[in-house]
């Protein structure tokens, strides 16, 4: 199975290769072997597994279709890698606030209201559509498709910093850092009430709510471990507070769920309690109105830190509160 534009990789499982890369199942061994070769493309194990299952690995003229088959000594394998497919979403010329970019990745400051990835209900007008237009041919093919590598997401109505991979190598390196919880991710949130103590660690497994499938919740069964650290930055009487939340893990709606779980839902959050209307009755009218009419969850991804997945250089980015959140804070300071 070979066509114009295919990349042909020949990998010999000789004594030297097996000494450097010990024998394993063939998909894992090929991924490890290619990762040790400077001139080889970065292919993840899952990508190689898919190629094998697609009949693109052979040895001695015979096709190997089982990715779990053990590597055989003194065998020369031929892996045929097709060119990246065109991305399914269409490129769209949407303005982006890019705070860092090189040939491997970029960091974007996402505005509230912008969906990260196309999905039912939001087939276009997303960050991915914008990145396809911005990056163009710089995208080298992640998982065999010319697309930006989205390794983490923030909700449509959350603003702030997001890192995106352009290459398979960068994508893999960022995924490893997320899995190891070694990235620094800090959010600013306006929450209802006054958290006590002023600093804390919230630990509770997060899973689908048993009573509302549209919501996530802290659950006792079938959830994923989740840890959030919070610090009180500023109190506005006892009605509202500005807090910093540091993510140790990254679960769907984690900050929104955890802060609601301890009784301090985010202001403006329509899904997890509405945030603050009941506690704002003693505030001046202007501040009370500002809380009641704030149109989104008051959450901003303000700090993002990581090691560059290719160069190893440490990076740390900060994004100030956007105008809508900064304006709400100013109104609350008028108490």
């Amino acid at each position: 199975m070979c066509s114009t534009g295919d990349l042909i990789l020949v990998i010999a499982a000789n004594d030297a290769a097996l000494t450097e890369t010990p024998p394993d199942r063939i998909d894992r061994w090929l991924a490890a072997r290619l990762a040790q070769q400077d001139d080889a493309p970065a292919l993840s194990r899952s990508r190689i597994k898919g190629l094998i299952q697609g009949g693109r690995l052979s040895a001695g003229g015979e096709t190997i279709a089982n990715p779990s088959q053990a590597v055989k000594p003194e065998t020369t394998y031929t892996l045929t890698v097709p060119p990246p497919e065109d991305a399914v979403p269409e490129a769209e010329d949407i303005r982006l606030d890019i705070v860092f970019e090189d040939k491997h990745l970029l960091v974007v400051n996402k505005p509230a209201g912008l969906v990260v990835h196309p999905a039912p209900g939001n087939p276009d007008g997303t960050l991915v559509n914008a990145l396809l237009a911005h990056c163009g041919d710089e995208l080298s093919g992640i998982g065999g498709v010319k697309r930006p590598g989205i390794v983490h997401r923030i909700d449509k109505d959350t603003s702030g910093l997001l890192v995106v991979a352009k290459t398979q190598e960068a994508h893999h390196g960022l995924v490893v850092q997320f899995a190891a919880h070694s990235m620094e991710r800090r959010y600013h949130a306006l929450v209802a009430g006054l958290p006590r103590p002023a600093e804390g660690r919230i630990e509770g497994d997060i899973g689908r709510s048993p009573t509302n499938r549209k919501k996530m919740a802290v659950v006792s069964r079938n959830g994923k471990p989740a840890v959030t650290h919070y610090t009180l930055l500023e109190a506005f009487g006892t009605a509202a507070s500005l807090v910093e939340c540091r993510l140790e893990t990254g679960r769907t709606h984690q900050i929104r769920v955890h802060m609601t779980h301890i009784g301090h839902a985010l202001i403006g959050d329509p899904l997890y309690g509405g945030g603050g209307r009941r506690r704002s009755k003693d505030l001046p009218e202007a501040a009370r109105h500002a809380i009641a009419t704030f149109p989104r969850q008051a959450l901003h991804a303000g700090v993002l830190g990581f090691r560059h997945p290719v160069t190893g250089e440490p990076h740390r980015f900060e994004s100030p509160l956007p105008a809508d959140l900064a304006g709400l804070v100013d109104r609350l300071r008028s108490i």
Side-chain angles (χ1 to χ4, degrees), residues 166-179:
K166 292 182 179 181
T167 66
Q168 181 71 54
E169 183 179 10
H171 185 261
H172 175 71
L174 290 170
V175 168
V176 168
Q177 290 183 62
F178 269 98

Side-chain angles (χ1 to χ4, degrees), residues 136-263:
D137 290 338
E138 288 186 73
L139 299 172
S140 68
I142 295 169
V145 180
K146 287 183 180 177
R147 58 181 171 129
I150 304 297
V151 293
H152 67 130
R153 304 185 188 188
I154 53 180
D155 296 333
K156 172 185 176 181
D157 289 327
T158 298
S159 54
L161 297 167
L162 196 74
V163 61
V164 180
K166 292 182 179 181
T167 66
Q168 181 71 54
E169 183 179 10
H171 185 261
H172 175 71
L174 290 170
V175 168
V176 168
Q177 290 183 62
F178 269 98
H181 310 308
S182 61
M183 282 195 168
E184 180 185 7
R185 288 174 291 163
R186 297 178 186 268
Y187 290 69
H188 285 138
L190 274 168
V191 303
L194 180 60
R196 289 294 185 215
E199 294 185 33
R201 181 178 190 270
I202 310 169
E203 183 172 6
D205 291 3
I206 291 178
R208 193 66 60 182
S209 169
T211 58
N212 184 341
R213 302 303 292 172
K214 293 182 179 180
K215 298 173 66 173
M216 308 302 288
V218 172
V219 295
S220 57
R221 296 176 57 189
N222 301 321
K224 294 182 179 180
V227 177
T228 304
H229 301 264
Y230 75 87
T231 302
L232 175 66
L233 299 179
E234 188 172 356
F236 308 104
T238 58
S241 303
L242 179 65
V243 299
E244 179 186 82
C245 294
R246 179 175 63 84
L247 292 181
E248 188 174 311
T249 57
R251 307 302 179 200
T252 301
H253 299 174
Q254 179 172 320
I255 291 173
R256 299 165 67 187
V257 170
H258 270 174
M259 294 308 296
T260 299
H261 182 66
I262 65 169

